[in-house]
Amino acid sequence: MKVLLVGGGGREHALAWKIRKSNKVEKLFCAPGNAGIAELAECVDIGVMEFDKLVEFAKTNEIDLVVVAPDDPLAAGAVDAFEAAGIRAFGPRKNAAILEGSKAFSKDLMKKYGIPTAAYETFDSAEKALEYLETAKCPIVLKADGLALGKGVLICNTREEAKEGVKTLMLDKQFGSAGNRIVVEEFMTGREVSVLSFVDGKTIKIMTSAQDHKRAKDGDEGLNTGGMGTFSPSPFYTEEIDKFCKENIYQKTVDAMRAEGREFKGVIFFGLMLTKDGPKVLEYNARFGDPETQVVLPRMKNDIIDIFEACIDGTLENIELEFEDNAAVCVVLASDGYPEKYDKGFEIKGLDTFKDKEGYYVFHAGSKFADGKIVTNGGRVLGVTAKGNNLKEARANAYKATEWIEFANKYMRNDIGKAIEEV
Ligand code: AMP
Ligand code: GLY
C-alpha cells in the first residue's frame, strides 16, 4: 500500500521508521518531512496546514492511508478533509481532536464524567479571572484554552504572578486567540507520566508508559520546551496505578467522547500526574507525543499499519499490543539557546555511525539538506534513542551515542532518565 505521513519532526521520523518496517507498505511519502525522514520516505514540499494541496497529492498518488501526526492539522480538521475526498486517514476528526484543542472542553468533560483531574474554573473575561484570583490559593496554574505549542501553561507561585499571567494570556494575547478563554487550575504535585493509547471509537489499548523532561536545563530548571528527552517504561507507573487508570480514566474518556457524539479514533496521550491522592489527568493530547514516540515505538513489536487500520475500522478489540521487555532512552540534541534564541545552519557530523548499530536510532527533529550536507534547522535538532535490557543500560547507551554526533552549538541535558536511580 501507499502511505502518506503528515508532519516533519522527530516524532514523524520515528513513525516513518516504524511504518517502513511493515511489509504491507510499498511506498511512503512524508509532507513535509526532514533530512532524516528523507532516507525512509519521499519527502513532499507541502505544509501540514495546506489541506487542499495534501488532499490533491493523496488523490493524484492514489494514497491508501494517510497518517496525520501533529496537533495543529488534527485540530483544524485534516482527517475530515481527507475523508471527505474518500481517503482513509488515521487520527481524530476535528470534533474529537478538541480533546486537546480546548482545555476548557477537556476539563468540562472530565468533570461531567467523573474522571480525576485538578479542580478548576474557566474564564472568558480577564476581569472575572482577576476577581477570582483575589481569594484563590497559590501556587495556581493558568492555561490558555487553545493550542499554544505546549507553552500556554503558567505555573504561578504568588497572587501577583497569577494576575500578571492573566494579563499575558488574556489582554496582551501572547498566545493569540488561544488565550481568549483561560482555565485556572489547582496546582498539583507528583511525578508525571505519559501514557499513549490507540483508540478505535470504543476500544482503547494502552501502549507502554514513558516520561518526558520538559524543562530546558538539568534538574528541571530553565524554560519549558517541547521536550528534552524521554525514557520508557516509567518505573513509577506500577501495576496498581495501571489498574486504577484502566478503571477510572482510560475507558471512561473514550466512552465520554462517544456519549458526547465525538467518537475518538486515533491516539489519546494521557498526561498523568501521580499525586498522593492517586493519578490525575494533567492534560490530554490527541496525537503521539514528541519525544515520547521516539522511545515507545522502538519497543513496540506490532505492525503499526495493522493498528492504524484497526483504529479506522473499529476492530482494535482483536489486536493485542506487544512491547519488548526492555527499556529505551531518548536524549534530545538541541541548538544552544533553545527555546529562546539560537543559531542554525551548522553541519551535523556523525550520523552514519548509527547505520549499522542495532538498538541505536537518530531521529531528526530539525534538520535539512544544504549544499549536499545535512545541517541544523531548528531548536530541537536530533533525538538520540538507545535501547538496553533495563533503564540504566539504555541510559548509558543513549549518552554514549550522543557522543557520535557533532555540530557547532550542540546542547543537551545530562540528566535524562536520572530519576530512575531513585527507584
Ligand atoms: P500541560 O500542557 O497541560 O501538560 O501543562 C504543561 C506542564 O505544566 C505539565 O507537564 C506540568 O508539568 C505542568 N502543569 C500543568 N498543569 C498543572 C497542575 N495543575 N499542577 C501542576 N503542574 C501542572
Ligand atoms: N512530549 C509532550 C508532548 O508531545 O506534548
Side-chain angles (χ1 to χ4, degrees):
M1 68 178 3
K2 289 185 186 174
V3 179
L4 169 64
L5 173 63
V6 177
R11 163 185 53 205
E12 287 78 14
H13 192 174
L15 276 163
W17 168 80
K18 187 68 182 161
I19 290 170
R20 276 293 301 271
K21 283 190 110 48
S22 168
N23 56 22
K24 300 188 177 69
V25 177
E26 79 208 38
K27 178 89 190 169
L28 176 63
F29 296 95
C30 187
N34 63 36
I37 295 173
E39 291 209 348
L40 300 163
E42 185 176 327
C43 293
V44 187
D45 191 17
I46 305 177
V48 301
M49 298 302 282
E50 296 183 284
F51 295 176
D52 290 346
K53 286 190 190 169
L54 288 171
V55 168
E56 194 51 43
F57 178 86
K59 278 207 266 189
T60 312
N61 290 278
E62 296 175 330
I63 297 295
D64 301 291
L65 174 69
V66 181
V67 179
V68 183
D71 51 352
D72 281 329
L74 287 168
V79 168
D80 310 57
F82 286 113
E83 285 182 348
I87 301 158
R88 276 161 77 76
F90 174 81
R93 294 183 185 142
K94 184 176 179 175
N95 75 348
I98 192 175
L99 190 62
E100 171 170 6
S102 166
K103 297 214 188 265
F105 170 85
S106 67
K107 294 296 290 189
D108 289 349
L109 187 87
M110 288 188 265
K111 187 191 248 177
K112 182 169 170 188
Y113 293 91
I115 297 165
T117 188
Y120 73 102
E121 297 285 337
T122 306
F123 297 97
D124 290 307
S125 97
E127 203 185 349
K128 291 261 165 56
L130 290 169
E131 193 183 304
Y132 173 81
L133 286 174
E134 288 297 340
T135 54
K137 210 170 93 195
C138 290
I140 197 156
V141 183
L142 310 185
K143 300 186 174 185
D145 177 44
L147 294 178
L149 296 169
K151 297 189 185 103
V153 174
L154 305 178
I155 313 263
C156 307
N157 288 312
T158 64
R159 206 175 303 286
E160 281 320 303
E161 261 181 59
K163 287 183 179 170
E164 232 6 82
V166 168
K167 289 200 189 90
T168 307
L169 295 175
M170 303 193 84
L171 301 175
D172 304 342
K173 298 253 188 279
Q174 193 171 331
F175 302 100
S177 59
N180 286 351
R181 176 185 287 173
I182 65 166
V183 170
V184 179
E185 186 173 286
E186 164 203 10
F187 175 76
M188 303 189 289
T189 51
R191 197 167 278 285
E192 287 183 42
V193 184
S194 303
V195 177
L196 277 59
S197 67
F198 289 105
V199 183
D200 73 354
K202 42 185 199 303
T203 301
I204 178 164
K205 297 274 165 120
I206 301 302
M207 296 182 231
T208 184
S209 60
Q211 185 183 316
D212 192 6
H213 299 67
K214 287 193 173 144
R215 300 294 197 96
K217 300 199 170 136
D218 283 18
D220 290 329
E221 304 276 339
L223 295 171
N224 252 325
T225 71
M228 293 300 292
T230 37
F231 58 82
S232 171
S234 165
F236 308 102
Y237 187 79
T238 60
E239 269 178 38
E240 188 193 352
I241 288 171
D242 183 59
K243 185 163 176 281
F244 177 91
C245 294
K246 284 187 171 133
E247 280 166 13
N248 299 285
I249 297 176
Y250 304 146
Q251 188 67 49
K252 264 191 177 177
T253 301
V254 175
D255 294 346
M257 289 299 279
R258 238 159 95 84
E260 294 292 311
R262 296 174 183 274
E263 185 175 71
F264 193 104
K265 293 184 172 198
V267 169
I268 300 183
F269 164 150
F270 298 86
L272 302 175
M273 188 171 266
L274 310 180
T275 77
K276 62 175 183 2
D277 303 321
K280 294 190 182 178
V281 177
L282 270 175
E283 63 162 347
Y284 292 116
N285 294 315
R287 54 172 174 82
F288 285 97
D290 190 346
E292 281 85 351
T293 307
Q294 291 89 312
V295 284
V296 169
L297 291 190
R299 299 185 52 232
M300 195 172 97
K301 293 187 190 172
N302 304 70
D303 181 327
I304 202 164
I305 295 292
D306 290 344
I307 306 176
F308 290 153
E309 300 221 90
C311 288
I312 294 171
D313 295 334
T315 56
L316 192 59
E317 201 182 8
N318 305 329
I319 289 196
E320 268 334 301
L321 293 187
E322 286 186 276
F323 287 86
E324 293 168 2
D325 184 18
N326 56 11
V329 170
C330 172
V331 180
V332 169
L333 303 186
S335 305
D336 196 12
Y338 171 75
E340 293 184 287
K341 260 182 59 172
Y342 53 84
D343 294 322
K344 53 190 191 180
F346 299 114
E347 182 179 2
I348 306 172
K349 292 191 184 139
L351 292 165
D352 284 347
T353 318
F354 286 80
K355 285 221 163 95
D356 51 359
K357 304 263 193 322
E358 178 77 22
Y360 292 85
Y361 314 82
V362 59
F363 296 120
H364 293 225
S367 70
K368 67 170 189 182
F369 293 106
D371 301 329
K373 293 176 189 148
I374 295 183
V375 301
T376 63
N377 191 37
R380 290 189 295 175
V381 178
L382 303 169
V384 169
T385 295
K387 294 201 278 198
N389 290 317
N390 52 50
L391 284 163
K392 194 165 168 234
E393 209 179 286
R395 179 165 192 259
N397 290 343
Y399 274 104
K400 179 179 70 189
T402 62
E403 293 171 14
W404 303 340
I405 298 284
E406 277 312 323
F407 55 89
N409 57 350
K410 171 176 146 187
Y411 170 82
M412 66 184 168
R413 273 182 65 161
N414 292 294
D415 63 348
I416 302 300
K418 196 157 187 285
I420 58 172
E421 288 167 12
E422 296 165 24
V423 183

